[in-house]
Amino acid sequence: MNYVDPMHHARQTQLVAVLETVCESLELTPAQFELAKERYEGVGAYLARSNIPILRSLAIYLQGSTALGTTVKPVGANEHDVDLVAHIPDPDIEIAPAGLKGTIGDCLKSNGHYAPLLEEMPRCWRLNYANEFHMDITPSIPNPECRLGGELVPDKKLKMWKTSNPKGYKRLFEERAKLAPVIRHQTSLKRDAAQDSVEPYPKAGGFKGILRRAVQIAKRHRDVLFIDHIDVAPLSVIITTLLSRSYEWCVANRQYDNELELLLDVIRHMPDTIEMRRIDGHDQWSIWNETTAGENFAEKWNRMPERAEAFFSWHCRLLSDLTDLDVVRGVDRLSDRLKSLFGPRPATAAIDALTTRISNARNDGSLRVAPAIGLSVGETPISTPVRANTFFGSGS
């Protein structure tokens, strides 16, 4: 049986609660969520009611971080993104990528409300709601060669269909997120709850489990670190894919004393499934989409090697920064560290929540102090009660 230092364990428990609050602060507010839901349903209904023959069977559904429950507010801005798929399940005729994309664009342009908001992107149409969010609508058709229910999406630059599988990707992610780790000493972070339906807009709020929190923490850390170099920032789909694979492996092969240990181990093993081959003197990277054939999330790394370098450099920094949180002493220093990693707003929210818990615990007599921990809520084997007038937050 492994010995667990109760004081260190208590400190890690506190850090889990702090990181949980950071993640909660990064999510959409209830008002933002409801507005996005309303706009998503509205554009879907408009396209589906179109009298354009090929759009009559169109189905609209979410993809990306909104569908997965891993949204992160952008740094220094209020706008977030909502990614949609406009899927034609059974086109009667063979259609070119530009043809379907153009048809959907023409339909949106014919609407006086959507036309001023519309912007064409390489694979999608974007509706820009100023100071709110932008909504990306990607056309797709079935991929007859994919046995996993994959789809084909347009690539404007290559003028061809490219493989994808948003529904299959979401399904695999959710299966992995439901996996229950073996935690020998359970802390306060709640586990993920199963989602029964694929199509409805996901419910807001609530704890989301280690995997989703790991994705949010990693994405926010990336956003802050690459604020001035977004052209080489690791893609969200790469971060999400590697973390979900790592989480599955860690849960199947390891046991942990608490969720913080698991979180760090999941991040540590992120690069394990990246494939690299040396071809004609050049590194060729692959991070394959497991839910369809032919989609390489790392394809840009092969054209721009600086992207691969940026990923590995960022990964080392992420792991180091999160590990170092465990040795920070004093609330003021912890606050400064969180601000440097995640930005002022999430850090302030986390520290405010921590000080509120400590204040409440002080008032009801459950605040304890132990060597090498500092103030903590609840009992530890070697601790003494803190008097009601003890000063908290000196940063010492």
Side-chain angles (χ1 to χ4, degrees):
M1 183 174 181
N2 294 335
Y3 171 74
V4 177
D5 182 346
M7 294 182 291
H8 187 216
H9 176 73
R11 176 167 185 79
Q12 290 183 322
T13 299
Q14 282 191 357
L15 283 176
V16 168
V18 167
L19 291 173
E20 177 67 25
T21 307
V22 166
C23 291
E24 288 176 342
S25 72
L26 294 175
E27 296 179 330
L28 308 184
T29 66
Q32 288 174 318
F33 188 92
E34 286 304 315
L35 182 60
K37 180 176 182 292
E38 177 186 324
R39 297 275 167 79
Y40 151 61
E41 293 173 344
V43 72
Y46 172 74
L47 289 172
R49 289 196 304 264
S50 168
N51 58 8
I52 300 174
I54 197 170
L55 299 184
R56 287 174 184 168
S57 61
L58 179 142
I60 293 281
Y61 61 87
L62 287 162
Q63 68 169 340
S65 61
T66 310
L68 300 178
T70 58
T71 56
V72 171
K73 290 179 181 177
V75 177
N78 295 321
E79 295 183 11
H80 59 277
D81 63 300
V82 177
D83 294 321
L84 308 179
V85 174
H87 183 64
I88 306 295
D90 187 22
D92 294 332
I93 58 174
E94 183 175 342
I95 186 168
L100 178 57
K101 187 163 177 269
T103 298
I104 291 175
D106 290 343
C107 184
L108 293 170
K109 290 174 186 176
S110 68
N111 182 292
H113 173 68
Y114 294 131
L117 311 176
L118 201 61
E119 177 185 3
E120 185 173 6
M121 308 298 289
R123 288 194 181 188
C124 67
W125 290 100
R126 174 170 292 178
L127 292 173
N128 291 296
Y129 295 92
N131 301 319
E132 293 175 4
F133 57 88
H134 60 260
M135 184 178 293
D136 289 347
I137 305 169
T138 301
S140 81
I141 61 173
N143 180 1
E145 298 182 3
C146 181
R147 294 176 295 177
L148 300 173
E151 301 173 16
L152 299 171
V153 298
D155 187 292
K156 182 179 180 181
K157 184 176 181 179
L158 299 178
K159 298 181 180 180
M160 61 181 290
W161 292 108
K162 299 201 70 174
T163 57
S164 186
N165 192 355
K167 283 190 175 183
Y169 187 94
K170 180 182 180 223
R171 190 160 49 245
L172 179 59
F173 181 88
E174 290 183 336
E175 289 173 358
R176 287 170 169 164
K178 292 174 189 176
L179 297 174
V182 177
I183 304 294
R184 288 185 288 259
H185 301 274
Q186 189 66 29
T187 64
S188 61
L189 192 60
K190 298 182 181 178
R191 291 178 181 165
D192 195 16
Q195 298 290 333
D196 295 328
S197 175
V198 173
E199 296 300 335
Y201 205 83
K203 294 181 180 179
F207 294 100
K208 294 190 175 179
I210 293 290
L211 176 54
R212 286 187 170 90
R213 289 317 194 199
V215 172
Q216 289 176 304
I217 289 167
K219 286 166 59 176
R220 181 63 175 198
H221 184 275
R222 170 209 57 190
D223 291 346
V224 172
L225 190 63
F226 288 91
I227 184 97
D228 296 321
H229 305 280
I230 58 174
D231 55 323
V232 295
L235 298 178
S236 292
V237 70
I238 288 178
I239 293 173
T240 305
T241 300
L242 296 179
L243 282 172
S244 69
R245 293 176 183 175
S246 178
Y247 180 78
E248 181 179 39
W249 185 90
C250 289
V251 169
N253 293 278
R254 300 276 180 86
Q255 296 183 8
Y256 300 91
D257 288 332
N258 53 58
E259 286 89 344
L260 185 63
E261 283 190 2
L262 171 58
L263 174 67
L264 293 175
D265 208 28
V266 169
I267 291 172
R268 183 176 296 108
H269 289 280
M270 278 183 74
D272 290 1
T273 58
I274 298 174
E275 300 175 30
M276 193 275 283
R277 293 184 299 167
R278 191 79 174 168
I279 301 176
D280 296 330
H282 299 284
D283 294 338
Q284 294 295 303
W285 302 94
S286 300
I287 303 173
W288 296 108
N289 184 346
E290 300 157 271
T291 66
T292 191
E295 185 174 20
N296 179 12
F297 296 134
E299 62 180 354
K300 290 183 179 180
W301 292 14
N302 298 325
R303 299 195 304 269
M304 295 173 281
E306 62 271 21
R307 282 183 170 267
E309 296 171 5
F311 171 84
F312 288 106
S313 175
W314 163 77
H315 173 259
C316 290
R317 179 75 175 270
L318 171 65
L319 183 58
S320 174
D321 284 343
L322 293 180
T323 302
D324 287 348
L325 284 178
D326 199 16
V327 298
V328 175
R329 295 294 183 266
V331 174
D332 289 345
R333 291 175 183 170
L334 178 60
S335 175
D336 291 342
R337 194 72 183 120
L338 291 173
K339 288 177 182 176
S340 70
L341 300 185
F342 305 116
R345 289 186 181 181
T348 300
I351 295 300
D352 286 350
L354 175 62
T355 54
T356 297
R357 286 195 301 272
I358 297 260
S359 177
N360 292 339
R362 178 192 294 118
N363 292 335
D364 66 22
S366 63
L367 184 64
R368 321 294 291 185
V369 63
I373 297 180
L375 296 170
S376 63
V377 178
E379 294 283 350
T380 61
I382 307 173
S383 63
T384 57
V386 175
R387 295 194 303 273
N389 63 350
T390 298
F391 181 74
F392 173 71
S394 65
S396 60

